[in-house]
Amino acid sequence: QVQVVESGGGLVQAGGSLRLSCTASELTFRGYAMGWFRQAPGKEREGVSCISWNGPTYYADSVKGRFFTSRELVKNTVYLQMNSLKPEDTAMYYCAADRDDYCSRSWSDRLQYQYWGQGTQVTVSS
């Protein structure tokens, strides 16, 4: 059974930071590209970042320079470090796994990913 589990969400003031974690079963994690998505109420789920199995990363324009994704293979964990948070970053954040080794050109398309976590809520107060 493939499992992806997010953690680390919470309530933070604008300008603050949070780090989200995503753990996945080894079968999923090694050799997979891992994406972060978010979905605010009434909005479409949007791609935030993607990290290839060996490190290259991609970001949405809205988070470039503020969010950083990394992975720790030994722990089967992917992180999303979120800095300078804004109220508009408030959303449910999801981690997802793509069987391809590398983030594709369509990395921000949710259909690219086969496995999803349940999400973790991030709320940024003004």
Side-chain angles (χ1 to χ4, degrees):
Q1 183 74 19
V2 173
Q3 289 188 327
V4 177
V5 180
E6 308 94 336
S7 62
L11 174 64
V12 64
Q13 288 188 332
S17 298
L18 277 177
R19 189 177 78 161
L20 306 183
S21 299
C22 169
T23 58
S25 60
E26 184 171 353
L27 184 63
T28 307
F29 192 76
R30 295 183 183 276
Y32 281 61
M34 301 295 292
W36 284 98
F37 284 73
R38 66 185 181 185
Q39 188 167 17
K43 294 189 176 181
E44 294 290 320
R45 190 170 298 190
E46 64 171 347
V48 174
S49 68
C50 183
I51 182 166
S52 300
W53 81 274
N54 63 346
T57 56
Y58 303 84
Y59 299 94
D61 288 343
S62 59
V63 305
K64 278 182 183 176
R66 299 189 299 122
F67 290 13
F68 302 93
T69 187
S70 60
R71 67 195 296 165
E72 193 168 1
L73 289 174
V74 173
K75 294 185 177 181
N76 291 339
T77 301
V78 173
Y79 303 100
L80 182 67
Q81 177 66 43
M82 305 185 295
N83 302 321
S84 302
L85 282 160
K86 306 174 181 180
E88 51 263 43
D89 294 318
T90 295
M92 185 72 79
Y93 282 72
Y94 298 90
C95 180
D98 176 8
R99 286 190 290 262
D100 288 338
D101 292 0
Y102 293 91
C103 300
S104 71
R105 288 184 179 181
S106 57
W107 69 265
S108 61
D109 183 351
R110 62 183 296 181
L111 297 178
Q112 186 70 32
Y113 300 82
Q114 297 78 43
Y115 308 105
W116 290 82
Q118 294 300 307
T120 185
Q121 178 68 38
V122 172
T123 303
V124 184
S125 63
S126 58

